[in-house]
Amino acid sequence: DRRIEGSCTHCGRCCINGKCVFVSFDAGGNSSCAIHGRWFFKWLACGAYPISARDIATYHCPSFVAVAPARLA
């Protein structure tokens, strides 16, 4: 099981590659979500993103990495 590390860089790729109706972009290309932080946001798939290495790979996310657990010698 891999541990997810990183923090959002607001690229918008996970927002259905920038096509979500709730995402908008500023002049610098940074994404912003109109419903982020609302009480129901955490219950949506995007509120839990990313939950796995597959999520990160699917959206070519530059913000997060899946790190393998350290092996004990």
Side-chain angles (χ1 to χ4, degrees):
D1 210 14
R2 293 176 174 249
R3 182 179 72 249
I4 306 298
E5 292 183 354
S7 60
C8 182
T9 58
H10 301 280
C11 70
R13 292 179 184 176
C14 63
C15 303
I16 313 172
N17 290 314
K19 295 178 181 156
C20 175
V21 297
F22 297 113
V23 71
S24 59
F25 293 88
D26 65 16
N30 294 315
S31 68
S32 178
C33 176
I35 61 171
H36 186 271
R38 303 268 176 99
W39 68 268
F40 55 87
F41 182 76
K42 67 180 178 181
W43 300 107
L44 301 173
C46 51
Y49 180 85
I51 60 171
S52 69
R54 184 176 180 188
D55 283 349
I56 296 167
T58 296
Y59 296 105
H60 306 285
C61 179
S63 304
F64 297 95
V65 293
V67 179
R71 294 186 185 252
L72 299 175

